[in-house]
Amino acid sequence: MTSAPFDLALPHPRRSEMRIEAVLHALADPVRLTIVRALAQAPHGISCGAVDLPVSKSTVTHHMRILREAGVIHTQPVGTARISTLRRDDLDALYPGLLDGVLAAER
């Protein structure tokens, strides 16, 4: 009897499932905004531990989940790491100018 391969893919909303309320909630937190700003500078993605944040590892994981479930980021397992990228194309298509405005705002 062979076992089915373990699926490491994480759930992400489709573009049509993304909602402005969830996106705005995800972008409203200062820690999540720091993550988004770092991802905006890394088009090929970064691991969640690569961003220097003043919170615990479990809290970073929580913030990454909020961003992923809102559709702000895409996270993919690569080896033992999880690499996240900003879903800029989806955000720009659904909410033109939102991400640019958020990224340009003063910290």
Side-chain angles (χ1 to χ4, degrees), residues 7-62:
D7 185 7
L8 297 176
L10 298 169
H12 296 83
R14 292 184 184 105
R15 183 185 286 187
S16 63
E17 298 170 332
M18 292 168 62
R19 298 291 173 250
I20 189 66
E21 298 88 352
V23 171
L24 291 174
H25 170 74
L27 295 174
D29 183 89
V31 170
R32 293 193 289 267
L33 191 53
T34 299
I35 295 167
V36 169
R37 286 187 172 121
L39 289 170
Q41 301 299 315
H44 299 293
I46 56 174
S47 67
C48 64
V51 182
D52 186 30
L53 298 167
V55 295
S56 69
K57 184 176 178 179
S58 65
T59 302
V60 171
T61 300
H62 166 75

Side-chain angles (χ1 to χ4, degrees), residues 57-84:
K57 184 176 178 179
S58 65
T59 302
V60 171
T61 300
H62 166 75
H63 285 298
M64 298 299 280
R65 182 178 56 81
I66 297 293
L67 289 165
R68 179 178 48 79
E69 290 177 352
V72 175
I73 65 172
H74 182 270
T75 303
Q76 178 175 326
V78 177
T80 59
R82 288 185 173 181
I83 304 300
S84 296

